[in-house]
Amino acid sequence: MITVIRGAWIVDGEGGRGEVVIDGERITEVGARVPVPPGARVVDASGGTLLPGFVDCHTHSFPGSPIQALALGVTTELDMFSSPEIAATLRASSARRAGMAEVRSAGTGASAPGGYPAMLVESGVYPPYPTLAEPEEAAAFVRDRVAEGSDYLKIIIEDGQAYGQNLPCLRPEVVAALTRAAHEHGLLAVAHVSTRAATVTALEAGVDVLAHVFTDVPGDAEIAAAIAESGTAVVPTLVQFEGRDGGGLAEDPRIRPYLHPASLPGLAADRDQGRLENALATTRLIHRHGGTLLAGTDTPNPGTTAGASVHRELELLVRAGLSPLAALAAATSEPARVFGLAGRGRIAPGQQADLLLVDGDPTSDITATRSVRAVWRRGERFDRDAYRAGLS
């Protein structure tokens, strides 16, 4: 079936009004006026903005969450720690089905024995997982992750100091060895950090992506410039520092009907860490120095939920000084570039037809992304009405 989306403002880092033709899973034409093939389905998108589907660059995906994510415009989730079994199931399911966000995963992250997130094993969230303590163990650790199908390597540099804890943590030489091993296998190295010191360790090791912005101290020009000059991308995850139901997501009539009831208690959970202002200030400095920023949420941590929290993250990125257009790029073209998501993040012939249609113009009012009118993944329009009805 051929679909023609007509009359939308098309935004994928640039803007212009026109039409998009989808044939199967791919975009075949984009132009001011394209001929409508016989039998094509025509979608009147007047008054709306057509965007590439959003990429959430930091999730912890579980069965069901990629479906809610897709209903709210997220067509790709980048999972940042999962059991190999969950990761394999979600990766395979999302490869077969267009009715859920595609899931890429780090699988098992690299952490020190007894270090973060060991408490999630104790609470039953994850089964026991391998750890490492010495640089000599890095090559085998990464080799095992490759065998499990990990799409990139997650390295956890967390001593708990930012949260008043004292946790075992990977030493700098172990972080460096893991990064080298990841690169030898063609994997990106993604580092969890929460402190300025951990950020310096990650940069010195040559990691590719920081999975959070540090919040133990306010950012400064020196570290912001170092991040920008290194080319290391940063996923600030501002929304997870905001606390209870950031941005009123659970009360927003554009969002609430698409939230699974099971997600509501977590979204309303109070996690106000008093760290948002530090996170915003550091993000602002990184942006001013020309660093690469990516949109991610760290769902399902308290105060966040799949799909919905991306919209709030975009709003917070704008609050941190990004233009709405730059914030949109942080959820579309920039993740595609950094993570090598071929065929994603742009609206152009040959690209995979992962698309999001919203009412209004988010390039002038970023909150317009909440007004989702339609979502396509691999050219198939997601039935949001049926999904919504199934939740009631």
Side-chain angles (χ1 to χ4, degrees):
M1 170 65 74
I2 296 176
T3 299
V4 179
I5 304 173
R6 168 170 286 171
W9 182 254
I10 300 171
V11 174
D12 72 343
E14 300 175 0
R17 195 165 303 282
E19 300 178 353
V20 174
V21 180
I22 303 170
D23 190 349
E25 297 185 359
R26 297 281 167 182
I27 297 168
T28 56
E29 291 187 74
V30 179
R33 191 74 178 178
V34 298
V36 178
R41 179 190 295 115
V42 178
V43 176
D44 181 4
S46 300
T49 299
L50 190 66
L51 302 156
F54 288 155
V55 180
D56 188 336
C57 296
H58 191 144
T59 73
H60 298 281
S61 302
F62 292 90
S65 63
I67 302 174
Q68 177 175 295
L70 185 64
L72 290 162
V74 173
T75 55
T76 304
E77 289 191 332
L78 302 182
D79 175 88
M80 287 297 164
F81 195 114
S82 185
S83 73
E85 294 77 15
I86 291 175
T89 297
L90 292 177
R91 192 185 289 111
S93 297
S94 65
R96 290 193 306 267
R97 296 177 51 201
M100 60 190 292
E102 179 179 351
V103 178
R104 305 271 180 110
S105 179
T108 304
S111 63
Y116 184 83
M119 62 289 297
L120 297 181
V121 175
E122 298 168 4
S123 62
V125 174
Y126 294 122
Y129 54 82
T131 59
L132 74 163
E134 301 299 331
E136 295 77 16
E137 301 173 78
F141 184 92
V142 174
R143 210 164 41 239
D144 289 345
R145 306 291 75 74
V146 171
E148 289 171 355
S150 294
D151 296 292
Y152 33 83
L153 180 69
K154 176 75 174 292
I155 304 172
I156 299 172
I157 316 172
E158 178 58 74
D159 62 8
Q161 296 299 310
Y163 305 99
Q165 300 174 308
N166 186 16
L167 301 175
C169 182
L170 295 173
R171 304 194 312 276
E173 56 267 33
V174 181
V175 174
L178 284 163
T179 302
R180 287 194 300 271
H183 291 165
E184 287 169 2
H185 285 277
L187 299 183
L188 294 179
V190 182
H192 165 109
V193 297
S194 63
T195 65
R196 189 185 191 282
T199 301
V200 171
T201 295
L203 294 177
E204 291 177 345
V207 305
D208 304 286
V209 181
L210 298 175
H212 300 283
V213 70
F214 64 87
T215 59
D216 61 324
V217 294
D220 56 81
E222 180 183 6
I223 190 69
I227 291 170
E229 290 168 8
S230 72
T232 302
V234 182
V235 187
T237 63
L238 299 170
V239 69
Q240 70 105 9
F241 297 117
E242 188 171 28
R244 180 176 303 195
D245 185 22
L249 294 170
E251 290 76 41
D252 191 326
R254 299 170 292 181
I255 299 290
R256 176 62 179 261
Y258 302 94
L259 298 179
H260 192 284
S263 73
L264 295 175
L267 186 59
D270 192 353
R271 200 194 187 200
D272 184 3
Q273 303 167 0
R275 297 185 179 274
L276 179 60
E277 292 309 316
N278 277 0
L280 285 166
T282 303
T283 301
R284 185 175 296 112
L285 281 170
I286 294 169
H287 178 59
R288 286 177 181 172
H289 281 81
T292 298
L293 295 167
L294 307 177
T297 62
D298 204 7
T299 61
N301 272 290
T304 67
T305 190
S309 292
V310 171
H311 300 277
R312 182 57 179 166
E313 183 70 11
L314 295 179
E315 295 160 15
L316 291 171
L317 286 172
V318 170
R319 182 170 158 188
L322 279 68
S323 69
L325 196 59
L328 293 168
T332 55
S333 57
E334 285 294 270
R337 178 184 65 82
V338 171
F339 281 91
L341 305 176
R344 317 298 201 282
R346 300 303 300 263
I347 301 176
Q351 295 283 293
Q352 184 166 297
D354 289 359
L355 298 167
L356 168 62
L357 177 64
V358 302
D359 289 321
D361 179 9
T363 66
S364 59
D365 175 10
I366 194 63
T367 65
T369 66
R370 297 189 182 204
S371 300
V372 176
R373 193 191 304 183
V375 184
W376 290 263
R377 179 164 178 257
R378 296 206 316 244
E380 182 177 315
R381 184 169 180 170
F382 183 71
D383 192 338
R384 299 180 79 237
D385 291 337
Y387 171 76
R388 176 177 176 172
L391 296 178
S392 59

